[in-house]
Amino acid sequence: MSRSKLSVLLVMTLASLLILSSVALAKTTLTIWAVDGLELDDPHHYYVQNLVKTFLADNPDIDIDWVAFGSEGAALNNRIRVALAANVGPDIFQSWGGTFMGEFARMGKLLDLTEELSDVPTSEAAKAAMSYDGRLYGIAPFFAIAGLYVNEGIFEELGLEVPTTIAELEAVAEKLVANGIQPFAVGARDEWPILATYMYLVNRYGGTIFDDAVARKVRFDAEPFVQAGLKIQEWSKRGFFGNTPMSEGYGDAQLLMQTGQAAMQISGSWLCGLYADPNQTDQTIGFYAVPVLEGGVGKVTDLAGMTDVGFVATATAADKKDAVVRFLTYAMSVEAAEKEAGRVASIPGVNPPNRLTGMASDVFTQAETIQFWWDQNLPPALTTPVNLTIQSFLMDDTDVKAELARYELLVEDELGSVR
Amino acid sequence: MAVAQTAKRKKKRDWYRLGFIALFLLPALAILGTFMFYPIKETFRLSFMRSSGFGEEIYVGWRNYQRIFASPEFRQGFVNVFKWAFWSVAIQIPLAFFIAFTCVNFRTRIIGRLRGVYYLSNVLPSAITAMLGVFIFSPTSGVIKTFAKTTGWKWLESIDWLGNPKLAFWSLFALATWAYIGFGIIYLMANIEQIPTEIREAALIDGATQWQYAWRVVIPYVSYAIRVQAILATVGSIKLFDLPYMVTLGGPRNATVTLGITLYREAFLNWQYGRGAAIGVVIFLICLVITIFQFSFVNDHSATDHSI
């Protein structure tokens, strides 16, 4: 072989090696928009921090561009709407599922991963929250349920039993008021925190009547909705929510529980990490199912809840489907979830990180029905008004029936009249 | 021949001149057109559509306008912004004038330092102001609550500053007065300082009291500045959004809702872009009327115009 031929061969070999190595080194970058951040030293963010760190270590061919929008959620939701409307945006975004996600799915903005994710072990509730019209668009490694947080120290001190019926709950609340302790921390200034209490009361009075109302079989001012509203108003008048419930933000409510100024709170299990952390509170707090109404329709195993941490893939990530599926599957692994500080996992095999989360998990596992948050599961045009309507029940002079009738008009505009 | 050539040269020069002007105006026009005129035109168009921001837009005529004017929330927002504007003019401007007049006419070391304090609130981002507001009024750890607990004043402790619909507006207005008054004070001070010393001295030698000097000399002298302040306060009130939204979310029961908040709710929370755009058009038209009024009213500054 002549020298020139040898040189050509050598150059070609080198070029081929170079191309092959560059192909091998080419990384797929997944852009992920989230509420949780990678930099913050806060237990609430430990799951995503561990997820990204261990995933990148196990998948050297994938890079992650993580953009955090802050824990309020509204910033991410607003940004994602604008981006997806213009067919740009991330490959994956953090989502709580429900109608917000469903609206994107309906418009073809999401990646259908029904086949790819069908074998990923999870709870049926978590799967349902990330589905729309029978198709699966993402995963929900953590699932939040609302329950009754109880300051067990205060209860013990005052000789109170954890209530199992609404009547017992009211008796407990009366005794707490008499002892100068606010029965319920609520945070109604931020509108949505009172929703869980109202959802449970509606369920206890009327069972799954909410589903019937959405299906337009009953009106939103039907008797159970009114009874639940009047009950909240009555509790407010009796001082069960303190003297200034409408000035109290959700942060204030947490502070009241952390400092033992309030004895109970109906809220999501996302607070378990906070209330179980000895650096955050010196109170002993437990998590229980919301009491039932004697003679009512709803059962103790009827829960309210929804995705706590979830991820959804967008249609723009279709050409990165393999990387997307690998990330989402990994996000549902025990290894990824092992650093979580307090949420209730929907990944089989993940042990609760503390007693309080364990109590919430126990309540979750007994669930027969799970009602998704109304403000995540109604059409967007009805979500803010539902929270505002419920918030108004805390005021003494609110005409509950009239407020609900006004809300019904909005519902009729969106979903039609009762058939 | 020479005349024709001169005319030709003049015409050419005019074209050059026009071209030159166009060249300088083009970037500004392009930026204004892209970021101002086009969005305004689109907002008008969108206000006649039903749109969620996705998919097709359906023409609905005046329905969005009918809906927003029928909405109690919008009507309350409408009332609130005008109420806010009225009290801004009625309370904030006299207060700003009083402080500015005191600062200029009674110069002491403390008052000199107070200037900085007054202006500080104006340079704080509204998010910080809102946080301070929440910190002051918080029912768990707020300044007022803590003070009430320390003094044992139960009546003060039980006041629901942000949760009582009758009080929330005024709590917020008090916060806004503190937050926004700084600019008015500095602006009026700058104008009062323009009054020649001789005029002040003449007035005082003639036996005028400080009150008479303020009422008969200073106010007429700075009336133009006061009118500008009134216009700015009114337009600012119509567009108000950040402080009420961050402190009370417009509640309780829409007691602090503004047109800006209703726009945000409709467009970004309820996904009703058409209705949001209709509210935007209403705000635009109100501001336009006020601006026209401003041109005809404020520019009428004959003898009293001494402002800077």
Side-chain angles (χ1 to χ4, degrees), chain B residues 219-258:
Chain B
I219 289 177
Y221 207 91
V222 298
S223 65
Y224 178 76
I226 290 172
R227 278 183 281 169
V228 169
Q229 279 281 297
I231 296 294
L232 288 176
T234 308
V235 173
S237 303
I238 306 298
K239 295 193 298 184
L240 191 68
F241 171 77
D242 48 4
L243 208 54
Y245 192 76
M246 284 187 279
V247 178
T248 58
L249 291 167
R253 201 191 282 143
N254 293 325
T256 59
V257 81
T258 65

Side-chain angles (χ1 to χ4, degrees), chain B:
Chain B
M1 184 74 178
V3 174
Q5 268 185 343
T6 310
K8 203 174 167 186
R9 268 205 301 274
K10 188 174 178 295
K11 201 173 178 183
K12 200 175 170 184
R13 212 167 45 233
D14 284 349
W15 274 112
Y16 271 130
R17 197 163 158 265
L18 274 175
F20 214 62
I21 291 168
L23 196 69
F24 276 99
L25 282 178
L26 209 60
L29 282 175
I31 290 169
L32 278 175
T34 310
F35 296 108
M36 200 171 168
F37 301 137
Y38 178 71
I40 289 172
K41 178 227 142 205
E42 273 298 290
T43 306
F44 271 87
R45 188 190 63 78
L46 200 58
S47 71
F48 294 101
M49 302 288 175
R50 184 184 170 98
S51 166
S52 67
F54 286 112
E56 60 172 342
E57 294 167 349
I58 302 159
Y59 178 75
V60 292
W62 292 95
R63 189 148 181 256
N64 287 330
Y65 289 93
Q66 288 166 351
R67 283 294 302 268
I68 62 165
F69 280 108
S71 152
E73 183 184 321
F74 175 83
R75 289 205 299 262
Q76 187 63 50
F78 203 85
V79 168
N80 282 350
V81 292
F82 279 99
K83 188 172 150 189
W84 190 282
F86 174 79
W87 288 111
S88 295
V89 174
I91 292 178
Q92 288 176 5
I93 293 176
L95 196 59
F97 175 81
F98 174 76
I99 295 170
F101 180 78
T102 310
C103 285
V104 172
N105 286 283
F106 302 96
R107 289 174 189 278
T108 64
R109 197 183 288 172
I110 292 174
I111 283 180
R113 283 177 189 163
L114 278 177
R115 283 181 181 212
V117 174
Y118 290 134
Y119 198 62
L120 179 71
S121 61
N122 202 61
V123 294
L124 288 176
S126 45
I128 306 271
T129 308
M131 273 183 68
L132 284 170
V134 170
F135 178 63
I136 291 166
F137 296 118
S138 167
T140 51
S141 54
V143 174
I144 298 174
K145 174 92 172 182
T146 310
F147 176 75
K149 269 187 174 171
T150 313
T151 54
W153 292 352
K154 286 274 176 199
W155 63 270
L156 186 62
E157 203 179 328
S158 63
I159 295 175
D160 201 354
W161 297 100
L162 299 176
N164 183 336
K166 287 173 188 156
L167 258 185
F169 180 90
W170 298 108
S171 304
L172 205 61
F173 186 79
L175 182 69
T177 301
W178 171 76
Y180 300 144
I181 204 170
F183 174 75
I185 293 170
I186 299 295
Y187 184 61
L188 288 174
M189 274 174 71
N191 279 277
I192 295 170
E193 278 170 347
Q194 297 302 307
I195 299 173
T197 322
E198 308 86 70
I199 294 180
R200 181 171 185 267
E201 284 169 356
L204 297 178
I205 287 167
D206 287 346
T209 60
Q210 287 292 347
W211 168 252
Q212 285 170 326
Y213 169 64
W215 187 250
R216 293 179 186 273
V217 179
V218 180
I219 289 177
Y221 207 91
V222 298
S223 65
Y224 178 76
I226 290 172
R227 278 183 281 169
V228 169
Q229 279 281 297
I231 296 294
L232 288 176
T234 308
V235 173
S237 303
I238 306 298
K239 295 193 298 184
L240 191 68
F241 171 77
D242 48 4
L243 208 54
Y245 192 76
M246 284 187 279
V247 178
T248 58
L249 291 167
R253 201 191 282 143
N254 293 325
T256 59
V257 81
T258 65
L259 292 178
I261 291 175
T262 57
L263 187 158
Y264 178 78
R265 279 181 185 165
E266 286 290 2
F268 296 102
L269 299 179
N270 299 350
W271 297 34
Q272 300 289 338
Y273 273 73
R275 276 182 231 161
I279 298 170
V281 168
V282 172
I283 295 174
F284 173 79
L285 292 176
I286 295 170
C287 290
L288 189 71
V289 170
I290 293 170
T291 309
I292 292 168
F293 176 71
Q294 174 188 7
F295 273 107
S296 59
F297 178 67
V298 175
N299 286 342
D300 175 28
H301 47 74
S302 49
T304 56
D305 178 13
H306 305 284
S307 67
I308 56 168

Side-chain angles (χ1 to χ4, degrees), chain A residues 74 78 80-82 84-85 99-100 103-104 106-107 109 189-191 243-249 252-253 255-256 261 380-385 388 391-392 395-398 403 406 410 413-414, chain B residues 50 52-56 63 67 72-73 134 137-141 145 149 157-166 246-254 264-265 267-273 275:
Chain A
N78 287 338
I80 204 82
R81 288 186 50 221
V82 175
L84 292 191
T99 47
F100 185 79
E103 197 72 7
F104 296 129
R106 192 174 66 81
M107 302 307 296
K109 305 288 180 186
R189 193 185 71 225
D190 292 333
E191 297 166 3
N243 293 329
T244 55
M246 297 292 283
S247 284
E248 185 186 300
D252 296 319
L255 199 64
L256 288 169
Q261 293 179 73
L382 301 173
T383 55
T384 304
L388 288 170
Q391 186 203 40
S392 73
M395 285 177 273
D396 294 358
D397 57 348
T398 296
E403 285 293 326
R406 195 178 300 161
L410 290 177
D413 201 43
E414 278 299 309
Chain B
R50 184 184 170 98
S52 67
F54 286 112
E56 60 172 342
R63 189 148 181 256
R67 283 294 302 268
E73 183 184 321
V134 170
F137 296 118
S138 167
T140 51
S141 54
K145 174 92 172 182
K149 269 187 174 171
E157 203 179 328
S158 63
I159 295 175
D160 201 354
W161 297 100
L162 299 176
N164 183 336
K166 287 173 188 156
M246 284 187 279
V247 178
T248 58
L249 291 167
R253 201 191 282 143
N254 293 325
Y264 178 78
R265 279 181 185 165
F268 296 102
L269 299 179
N270 299 350
W271 297 34
Q272 300 289 338
Y273 273 73
R275 276 182 231 161

Side-chain angles (χ1 to χ4, degrees), chain A residues 21-227:
Chain A
S21 63
S22 66
V23 168
L25 285 173
K27 283 186 167 184
T28 303
T29 300
L30 289 178
T31 303
I32 302 174
W33 288 3
V35 289
D36 296 318
L38 299 185
E39 310 297 334
L40 297 165
D41 185 20
D42 176 348
H44 210 65
H45 303 270
Y46 286 172
Y47 162 70
V48 295
Q49 289 168 5
N50 183 59
L51 163 66
V52 171
K53 191 177 151 196
T54 51
F55 177 77
L56 288 177
D58 288 355
N59 297 272
D61 58 325
I62 297 176
D63 224 342
I64 287 177
D65 178 16
W66 187 276
V67 185
F69 286 82
S71 58
E72 279 300 308
L76 170 65
N77 287 350
N78 287 338
R79 186 74 198 279
I80 204 82
R81 288 186 50 221
V82 175
L84 292 191
N87 291 320
V88 292
D91 302 308
I92 296 169
F93 67 94
Q94 209 171 325
S95 170
W96 291 273
T99 47
F100 185 79
M101 182 204 78
E103 197 72 7
F104 296 129
R106 192 174 66 81
M107 302 307 296
K109 305 288 180 186
L110 301 183
L111 195 59
D112 184 347
L113 297 170
T114 311
E115 276 74 43
E116 290 80 359
L117 298 177
S118 60
D119 294 335
V120 176
T122 186
S123 67
E124 283 309 310
K127 220 173 225 179
M130 307 312 283
S131 299
Y132 175 77
D133 209 11
R135 311 301 296 171
L136 188 59
Y137 293 93
I139 47 114
F142 296 96
F143 198 89
I145 50 151
L148 180 71
Y149 287 97
V150 169
N151 187 318
E152 293 170 334
I154 294 175
F155 269 53
E156 198 181 321
E157 203 179 304
L158 298 177
L160 300 169
E161 292 286 324
V162 174
T164 54
T165 66
I166 298 290
E168 286 174 17
L169 185 76
E170 289 178 328
V172 161
E174 281 292 355
K175 192 154 185 187
L176 287 164
V177 171
N179 281 277
I181 295 166
Q182 185 173 320
F184 290 101
V186 63
R189 193 185 71 225
D190 292 333
E191 297 166 3
W192 64 268
I194 187 68
L195 173 67
T197 307
Y198 184 68
M199 281 176 69
Y200 271 116
L201 284 172
V202 169
N203 170 271
R204 296 325 187 221
Y205 277 108
T208 55
I209 190 168
F210 173 79
D211 294 331
D212 293 339
V214 172
R216 300 284 60 206
K217 291 176 188 164
V218 294
R219 288 168 58 89
F220 268 94
D221 55 358
E223 201 54 28
F225 292 106
V226 177
Q227 284 171 315

